[in-house]
């Protein structure tokens, strides 16, 4: 029977090619994911651990209970560590934030870590953390170092003046050297600026202080011994960690960082493999049916049912083994492609060799064999159950109606349970987000089981539209209805991919439109100006107000105070201009109330009002940040929104009680709107400060989640494309084998006058009909799942309303038509070129 299976594989190479491709692509996705994540994880480990070379002990100060962060070390503590004979080198670290601009003024490192630190030379004048590749160390407050990649991105050379900002106005420093960074965050798109020790402390921390200290052990001293000596020197409560412990933590973080990515990629790989299983099952079902007489003859000469089953399973195993091996090789190419894809999005990953673990090879081969065998097992069992006499007499008929009724009943039950489960869990808030996946999966499985029953009515409805194509339009729907199981299996592969695509699109488009509409309705300012480092100096609002391009502006300056019995963060605003910049939806009161009660008026959102049981007109006691007591009047209540502060108070009433004048942000309205011209004018007023971020309403919606949603959707489209490609291969495979199965029938049609171009048109229409059926089923299921997911999203996205993306749905349907036309090219060409006499003689 093994020889029989091998002969069948070799005899049907062309027919099994599409099946092998389906398995191959699914396995390639899995193998590529494993190779890619192993490679990235290893590269990050190498990168991060490279920064820890020579670190024997890492020390940070005792925890400050008020600030919830370690207290810095002073120079005296670092000096005592340097006096330890067991320490070969002691390095004090100062770290902070610095925004760097390129030569053309564009900020560098957008969306990445923009770091600053100190260059701490040892006795030899070198800092082991930052090896110099060119130039010299900084010698004063007017000089800086950049890492090599930051200098390349900013087009800086030695001697150039670097524009940067730490926590205020633009600084101009001379570039005197380049260093090689060992920090993976810098190599993945961030920036690094290094000052001399004194300047770094002044700008980033405080004079004479260090964030942390690293020690390198002298020869003959272990890490634990050096750590014990450091504990004796440093203040009680200092956190002392050995280099080995730090490196192990970095390795764990690198593995953890790629775990989520691996899980997402493998989830989509599983979808691709699942879709491929339909192609495999369809192929072996048709192969077994075509070889019914051959199987019967084998049974007649003594083969048992078990041997027939084993023969088909062995055939599937050989096919799966070949597909698994080829999929593994292709997976290496997929991993390389994923690296280039990630790089094209602007996110760089550290360089490193491709990591191909033995586990990846084993998983690829086992997956190829397992999926193919499982998909082919039921067709193999059906082949073994056919009576030899019935098969040899060509009396074997399609499955009985009763069998199809049982399938339809099971499918209807699964769909009903799935729909009810989705409706119930979609109203379950946070808990529903984790439980909705199970009923959603049941719904899709139920639709797959029920598809044969749905295919008949759907094709019948489409039949009148095809009559205009004449005889081919009459024959195509009949061919599609002839074997509902085969039509359903082919359409189901497309349905799975398009249901996921549609559901994701509905949620993404609805969320993006909701965020954009809310930002447009509430924020009337043209720009919302913020700082990358957290807050803005008061000089920013002064510079913007003095600009001729600005017609109105208001700072948003926050302070913590006690109102009533609770602590609140209040936001001071300019009462003269805030009404032109924000338009909250007031349930009572208005911005005009800010002038009442001598300016001691508070506007609050509905959440704050409900939590404290406050109402408009109520007077509440208040304790200002400096301890001053007074009474505030609740002048208005507006609906809560993430684009609005929770409380607003006139700035003149708040400012006298604050220690310093720093703004959380500034709202600006310009004479020319929120276009690029106005943006350039504002940047010029702020000396092109790279620390400043200016957002219009589109940018606000993107920052609130719209941009992340759009990027995630693009990534998911790319991942689901693999499943759609496999589904297309399934359509091609089904049509090709269907043409072979109907060879005699097509010969008879040709003999009675069907022209070759009509034959091609008949196959094309059948293909388009199947593709559109799968697409419509998938779009309908996806829209329902998208609506259910939207009910859950409404818990976290205020004002969420479902939007059906009709344009994208139309594109999906047009794509289904194109899929049908393309998939029919080879089968239609083959059918049209059949020799009539040879076809009439076919069995």
């Amino acid at each position: 029977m093994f020889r029989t299976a091998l002969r069948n594989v070799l005899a049907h190479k062309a027919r099994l090619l599409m099946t092998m491709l389906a398995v191959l692509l699914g396995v390639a996705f899995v193998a590529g994911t494993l190779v890619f994540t192993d490679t990235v994880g290893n590269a990050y480990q190498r990168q991060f651990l490279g920064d820890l070379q020579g670190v024997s002990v890492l020390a940070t100060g005792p925890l400050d209970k008020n600030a919830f962060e370690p207290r810095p070390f002073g120079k005296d503590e670092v000096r005592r560590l340097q006096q330890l004979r067991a320490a070969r080198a002691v390095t004090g670290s100062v770290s902070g934030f610095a925004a760097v601009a390129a030569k053309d003024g564009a900020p560098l490192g957008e969306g990445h870590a923009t770091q600053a630190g100190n260059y701490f030379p040892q006795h030899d004048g070198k800092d082991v953390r930052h090896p110099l590749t060119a130039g010299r160390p900084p010698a004063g407050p007017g000089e800086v170092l950049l890492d090599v990649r930051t200098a390349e991105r900013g087009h800086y050379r030695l001697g150039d003046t670097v524009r940067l900002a730490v926590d205020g106005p633009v600084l101009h420093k001379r570039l005197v050297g380049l260093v090689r960074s060992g920090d993976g965050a810098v190599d993945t798109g961030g920036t690094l600026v290094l000052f001399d020790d004194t300047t770094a402390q002044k700008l980033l921390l405080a004079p004479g202080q260090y964030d942390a200290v690293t020690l390198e052990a002298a020869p003959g001293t272990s890490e634990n011994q050096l750590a014990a000596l450091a504990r004796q020197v440093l203040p009680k409560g200092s956190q002392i960690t050995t280099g080995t412990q730090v490196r192990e933590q970095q390795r764990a973080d690198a593995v953890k960082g790629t775990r989520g990515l691996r899980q997402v990629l493998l989830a989509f790989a599983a979808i691709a493999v699942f879709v491929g299983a339909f192609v495999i099952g369809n192929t072996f079902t048709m192969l077994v049916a075509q070889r019914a007489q051959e199987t019967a003859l084998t049974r007649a000469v003594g083969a048992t049912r078990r041997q027939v089953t084993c023969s088909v399973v062995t055939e599937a195993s050989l096919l799966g083994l070949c597909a698994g091996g080829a999929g593994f090789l292709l997976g290496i190419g997929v991993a390389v492609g994923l690296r280039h894809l990630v790089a094209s999005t602007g996110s760089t990953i550290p360089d490193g060799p491709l990591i191909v673990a033995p586990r990846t090879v084993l998983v690829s081969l086992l997956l190829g064999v397992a999926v193919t065998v499982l998909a082919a097992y039921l067709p193999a069992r059906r082949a073994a159950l056919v009576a030899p006499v019935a098969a040899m007499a060509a009396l074997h008929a399609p499955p009985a109606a009763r069998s199809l009724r049982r399938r339809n009943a099971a499918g209807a039950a699964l769909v009903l349970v799935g729909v009810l489960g989705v409706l119930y869990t979609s109203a379950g808030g946070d808990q529903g987000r984790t439980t909705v996946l199970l009923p959603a999966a049941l719904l899709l499985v139920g639709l797959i089981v029920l598809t044969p029953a749905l295919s008949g009515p759907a094709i019948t409805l489409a039949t009148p539209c095809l009559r205009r194509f004449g005889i081919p339009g009459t024959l195509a729907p009949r061919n599609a209805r002839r074997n509902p199981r085969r039509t359903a299996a082919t359409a189901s592969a497309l349905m799975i991919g398009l249901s996921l695509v549609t559901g994701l699109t509905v949620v993404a488009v609805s969320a993006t439109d909701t965020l954009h509409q809310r930002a447009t309705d509430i924020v009337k300012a043209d720009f919302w100006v913020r700082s990358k480092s957290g807050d803005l100096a008061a000089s920013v609002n002064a510079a913007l107000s003095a600009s001729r391009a600005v017609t109105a502006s208001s700072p948003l300056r926050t302070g913590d105070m006690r109102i009533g019995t609770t602590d609140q963060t209040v936001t001071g605003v300019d009462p003269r201009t805030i009404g032109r910049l924000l338009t909250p939806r007031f349930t009572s009161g208005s911005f005009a109330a800010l002038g009442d009660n001598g300016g001691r008026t508070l506007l609050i959102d509905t959440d704050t009002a409900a939590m404290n049981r406050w109402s408009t007109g109520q007077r509440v006691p208040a304790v200002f940040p400096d301890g001053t007591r007074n009474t505030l009047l609740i002048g208005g209540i507006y609906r809560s929104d993430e684009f609005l502060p929770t409380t607003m108070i006139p700035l003149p009433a708040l400012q006298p009680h604050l220690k310093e004048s720093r703004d959380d942000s500034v709202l600006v309205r310009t004479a020319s709107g929120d276009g690029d011209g106005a943006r350039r004018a504002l940047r010029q007023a702020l000396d092109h400060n790279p620390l400043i971020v200016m957002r219009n309403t589109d940018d606000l919606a993107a920052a609130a989640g719209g941009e992340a949603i759009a990027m995630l959707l693009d990534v998911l489209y790319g991942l689901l494309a693999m499943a759609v490609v496999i589904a297309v291969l399934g359509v091609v495979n089904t049509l090709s084998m269907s043409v072979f199965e109907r060879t005699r029938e097509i010969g008879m049609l040709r003999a009675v006058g069907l022209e070759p171009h009509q034959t091609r048109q008949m196959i094309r229409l059948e293909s388009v009909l199947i593709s559109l059926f799968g697409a419509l089923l998938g779009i309908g299921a996806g829209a329902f799942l998208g609506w259910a997911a939207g009910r859950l999203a409404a818990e976290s996205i205020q004002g969420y309303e479902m939007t059906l993306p009709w344009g994208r749905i139309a594109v999906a349907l047009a794509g289904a038509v194109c899929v049908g036309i393309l998939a029919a090219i080879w089968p239609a060409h083959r059918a049209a070129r059949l020799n009539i006499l040879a076809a009439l003689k076919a069995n």
Side-chain angles (χ1 to χ4, degrees):
M1 297 308 294
F2 177 80
R3 287 197 298 270
T4 302
L6 182 60
R7 179 190 62 80
N8 286 333
V9 170
L10 296 176
H12 304 101
K13 295 188 291 293
R15 299 184 212 173
L16 293 174
L17 178 62
M18 293 297 176
T19 304
M20 181 176 172
L21 282 175
V23 183
L24 184 151
L25 289 175
V27 172
F29 203 165
V30 174
T33 296
L34 295 176
V35 172
F36 174 70
T37 52
D38 286 343
T39 298
V40 172
N42 179 72
Y44 274 118
Q45 285 187 36
R46 287 161 55 96
Q47 197 71 57
F48 284 120
L49 296 178
D51 194 34
L52 296 172
Q53 292 298 322
V55 175
S56 303
V57 173
L58 172 65
T60 56
L63 183 66
D64 187 332
K65 295 182 180 179
N66 294 324
F68 297 101
E69 60 183 19
R71 292 198 300 268
F73 291 124
K75 281 188 175 181
D76 292 339
E77 292 158 332
V78 175
R79 191 176 297 113
R80 287 197 296 269
L81 289 173
Q82 289 175 327
Q83 293 172 354
L84 293 175
R85 294 184 178 180
R88 180 179 180 180
V90 177
T91 303
S93 299
V94 178
S95 58
F97 175 91
V100 185
K103 273 192 173 183
D104 61 1
L108 295 174
E110 289 291 312
H112 299 276
T114 49
Q115 303 177 30
N118 65 322
Y119 189 85
F120 193 96
Q122 300 295 328
H123 299 297
D124 57 0
K126 298 179 181 179
D127 188 336
V128 294
R129 302 169 303 165
H130 309 295
L132 276 168
T133 61
R136 60 173 176 81
E143 298 179 346
V144 293
L145 304 176
L146 294 178
D147 75 280
V148 174
R149 296 198 178 189
T150 300
E152 289 176 353
R153 289 192 289 265
H155 305 289
Y156 284 115
R157 296 183 180 180
L158 294 181
D160 289 343
T161 298
V162 179
R163 298 169 55 83
L164 57 92
V166 174
D167 191 23
V170 175
L171 303 176
H172 299 83
K173 305 288 185 180
R174 184 167 174 263
L175 180 62
V176 297
L178 301 177
V179 299
R180 185 176 65 253
S181 171
D183 192 333
V186 175
D187 285 335
T188 55
T191 61
L192 175 64
V193 182
L194 297 177
F195 306 95
D196 68 275
D197 208 40
T198 303
T199 304
Q201 291 171 346
K202 179 181 178 181
L203 292 174
L204 306 175
L205 191 58
Q209 294 187 343
Y210 297 93
D211 293 307
V213 180
T214 58
L215 297 86
E216 181 182 353
T221 303
S222 68
E223 291 183 346
N224 291 329
Q225 291 172 337
L226 184 58
L229 293 173
R231 287 191 183 93
Q232 298 175 7
V233 172
L234 295 175
K236 185 178 180 180
S238 297
Q239 302 296 313
I240 311 296
T241 310
T242 65
T244 300
Q245 292 172 330
V246 175
R247 284 184 282 272
E248 287 301 320
Q249 184 61 46
Q250 293 282 20
R251 288 192 182 94
D253 290 343
V255 172
K256 185 178 180 180
T258 58
R259 185 177 301 153
L261 175 62
R262 172 177 292 183
Q263 290 173 348
V264 171
L265 292 175
L266 286 178
F268 285 94
I271 294 172
V273 171
F274 184 61
V275 172
F278 281 92
V279 181
I280 301 164
N282 223 5
T283 301
F284 275 92
T285 298
M286 288 185 287
L287 282 176
V288 166
Q290 292 169 12
R291 299 204 303 255
Q293 292 186 359
E294 176 185 331
T295 303
L297 181 60
T298 306
R299 292 284 312 281
V301 297
T304 63
R305 290 181 175 178
R306 182 178 180 181
Q307 286 178 314
V308 171
T309 303
C310 288
S311 174
V312 178
V313 168
T314 302
E315 185 178 344
S317 301
L318 293 173
L319 180 67
L321 188 63
C322 295
F328 162 71
L329 296 176
L330 181 61
I332 297 176
V334 170
V336 174
L338 284 172
R339 291 189 68 172
H340 288 299
L341 178 63
V342 171
S344 68
T345 64
S347 300
T348 2
I349 58 175
D351 294 328
L354 280 176
I355 303 299
V356 183
R359 172 205 59 195
T360 304
V361 182
L362 185 61
V363 167
S364 300
L365 295 177
L366 290 178
L367 182 64
V369 173
V371 172
T372 311
V373 168
L374 289 175
Y377 180 73
L378 286 179
R381 287 284 297 167
R382 285 196 294 267
L385 292 174
V386 177
V389 175
M392 294 181 71
L395 296 176
H396 181 47
R402 182 182 178 184
S403 175
L404 198 56
R405 285 200 298 269
R406 288 199 299 268
R407 173 171 175 162
N408 294 341
L414 286 172
V415 168
L416 181 61
V417 171
V419 169
L420 294 177
V422 168
L423 292 175
Y424 176 75
T425 55
S426 63
D430 292 335
Q431 184 178 1
R433 296 177 187 176
T434 57
T435 56
V436 73
L437 295 177
L438 178 60
L442 287 177
L443 172 60
L444 291 178
V445 171
L447 284 175
I448 292 169
V449 175
L450 197 59
T451 303
L454 298 175
S455 63
I459 294 172
T460 300
L461 288 174
T463 300
C465 301
L466 300 178
R467 287 175 181 165
R468 58 183 297 270
F469 294 100
I471 294 176
T474 303
L475 295 174
R478 292 181 181 177
N479 292 334
R481 277 198 305 266
R482 179 179 304 176
N483 193 332
R485 293 174 180 269
R486 184 171 64 208
T487 299
T490 306
S492 295
L494 275 175
M495 182 204 73
I496 295 169
L498 284 177
S499 63
L500 296 174
V501 168
T502 304
L504 293 170
T505 303
V506 167
V507 175
V509 171
S510 301
T512 303
D513 288 351
T514 298
L515 290 170
H516 186 271
Q517 187 61 47
R518 277 181 36 223
T520 303
D521 291 345
I522 292 173
V523 181
K524 295 305 178 184
D526 292 314
F527 293 97
W528 198 309
V529 182
R530 297 179 181 271
S531 170
K532 294 179 183 178
S533 63
D535 52 21
L536 295 165
S539 59
V540 172
N541 180 53
L544 290 171
S545 300
S547 173
R548 293 181 179 180
V550 176
T551 59
S553 69
S554 172
L556 300 182
R557 191 170 298 170
T558 58
D560 295 327
M561 55 189 296
R562 190 168 188 81
I563 305 176
T565 58
T566 61
D567 294 328
Q568 300 283 340
T569 298
V570 296
T571 302
V573 298
D574 189 335
R576 301 167 300 173
T577 59
I578 191 65
R580 299 171 60 189
L581 302 168
L582 293 176
T583 55
R585 291 171 290 180
F586 280 94
T587 59
S588 60
S590 67
F591 275 128
L594 290 176
D596 299 340
N597 196 36
R600 295 187 299 276
T601 307
L602 192 67
L603 303 179
I604 59 176
D605 65 6
T606 49
D607 289 345
T608 303
M611 181 175 63
N612 295 279
R613 298 182 179 178
W614 292 337
S615 59
T616 301
Q618 183 177 349
R619 295 180 181 272
V620 292
V623 181
F624 285 89
D626 61 352
T628 303
R629 297 177 180 272
N630 212 317
T631 301
L632 298 179
L633 172 69
I634 305 297
I637 300 175
Y638 52 89
R639 292 185 182 179
S640 304
D641 196 279
E642 64 184 286
F643 296 114
L644 293 171
T646 56
T647 60
M648 285 184 272
I649 190 172
L651 188 57
L654 176 65
Q655 180 55 44
H657 306 285
L658 299 177
K659 293 182 179 179
E660 56 181 353
S661 299
R662 298 191 67 84
D663 299 325
D664 179 69
S665 57
V666 176
L667 296 173
V668 177
R669 192 163 186 174
T670 69
S672 56
D674 62 355
D676 292 337
R679 194 186 295 264
R680 284 193 298 269
L682 296 183
R683 286 207 172 276
Q684 186 174 0
L686 297 174
D687 194 21
H688 296 280
N689 193 327
L691 196 67
I692 302 299
V693 177
M694 295 183 184
R695 292 173 175 162
N696 57 20
T697 51
D698 290 339
D699 300 329
L700 286 175
E707 184 177 2
I709 292 170
M711 184 178 295
L712 177 63
L713 190 62
D714 290 340
V715 172
L716 296 181
Y717 279 166
L719 296 177
L720 286 172
M722 185 72 74
V724 175
V725 169
I726 295 174
V728 172
L729 291 175
V731 177
V732 177
N733 207 23
T734 299
L735 289 174
S736 299
M737 303 193 76
S738 177
V739 167
F740 178 84
E741 194 177 70
R742 303 202 307 261
T743 298
R744 188 172 183 179
E745 175 189 327
I746 294 172
M748 292 179 65
L749 290 172
R750 291 289 310 282
V752 297
L754 192 68
E755 297 292 336
H757 73 275
Q758 291 178 310
T759 305
R760 285 192 292 268
Q761 191 174 48
M762 177 184 70
I763 301 298
R764 280 198 298 267
L765 289 175
E766 181 182 354
S767 177
V768 169
L769 198 57
I770 295 173
S771 298
L772 276 177
F773 170 59
L776 289 171
L777 200 59
I779 289 171
F784 173 71
L785 294 177
W787 168 81
R791 294 183 67 188
L792 296 173
E795 298 288 332
S796 55
I797 302 178
Q798 184 180 353
Y800 177 92
E801 292 183 2
M802 179 178 169
T803 302
L804 280 176
W806 294 110
R808 300 195 186 192
I809 290 175
V811 170
L813 291 175
V817 173
C818 293
V819 164
I821 294 173
L822 291 174
I825 291 176
W826 181 41
H829 179 71
R830 180 181 176 185
R833 296 192 62 183
L834 283 176
N835 183 283
I836 298 177
L837 294 178
L840 290 173
K841 294 179 180 178
N843 292 326

